[in-house]
Amino acid sequence: MSILIYSLLIAALLPYITKLPLAYAMHQIDGYDNKHPREQQARLEGFGARALAAHQNAFESLIIFAAAITTALATNHTESLIQNLALIHIAARILYPIFYMMNWDILRSTIWTVGLFSSIAIILNCLPVV
């Protein structure tokens, strides 16, 4: 069960960790605009735009993963398969922003799919057997 909770914690922190390269990119254009950061982000191009997209996607992926982990904990499905799927999701979500910022689109899309399917698989494995 601890692996699931730690995985959820890591997933919850990833959007904030992915803010670091975004903040760096923002700083490169006229310094970080803390008064109007979203306007500044809208002007980003290249690496900065990809860093913004990776940051936003970290929040998006957190929704389904949090639901999956909550479902697993609520239904007491904490066996090794569920734990391994959670670790696969975390590994995918760590690689995803790296691939995105490096502009490796095929690897990025592939690892995004792995992360999504791992969360779905957690939920599916929590369904009652009929």
Side-chain angles (χ1 to χ4, degrees):
M1 182 175 353
S2 293
I3 289 176
L4 298 180
I5 296 169
Y6 283 121
S7 296
L8 185 55
L9 174 62
I10 292 167
L13 292 174
L14 282 174
Y16 303 99
I17 294 169
T18 59
K19 174 69 180 208
L20 297 174
L22 172 58
Y24 172 79
M26 291 170 68
H27 184 74
Q28 297 304 304
I29 56 168
D30 304 325
Y32 188 97
D33 184 355
N34 200 41
K35 291 185 180 188
H36 306 286
R38 292 184 190 230
E39 290 175 18
Q40 184 182 30
Q41 290 169 0
R43 295 192 319 267
L44 292 170
E45 297 176 355
F47 173 82
R50 292 190 305 274
L52 172 60
H55 169 65
Q56 292 169 336
N57 191 268
F59 280 108
E60 295 163 3
S61 73
L62 177 58
I63 296 166
I64 189 168
F65 185 66
I69 295 302
T70 302
T71 301
L73 292 171
T75 60
N76 203 29
H77 284 85
T78 59
E79 62 272 7
S80 61
L81 173 62
I82 302 292
Q83 293 176 28
N84 288 334
L85 288 166
L87 292 173
I88 289 168
H89 176 87
I90 293 302
R93 295 310 309 174
I94 289 170
L95 291 173
Y96 180 84
I98 295 168
F99 293 166
Y100 211 139
M101 287 180 269
M102 298 298 293
N103 205 20
W104 296 341
D105 57 323
I106 294 172
L107 284 175
R108 180 196 81 219
S109 294
T110 302
I111 207 70
W112 177 89
T113 304
V114 169
L116 174 64
F117 285 153
S118 65
S119 290
I120 292 170
I122 290 170
I123 294 170
L124 291 175
N125 277 282
C126 294
L127 290 173
V129 179
V130 213

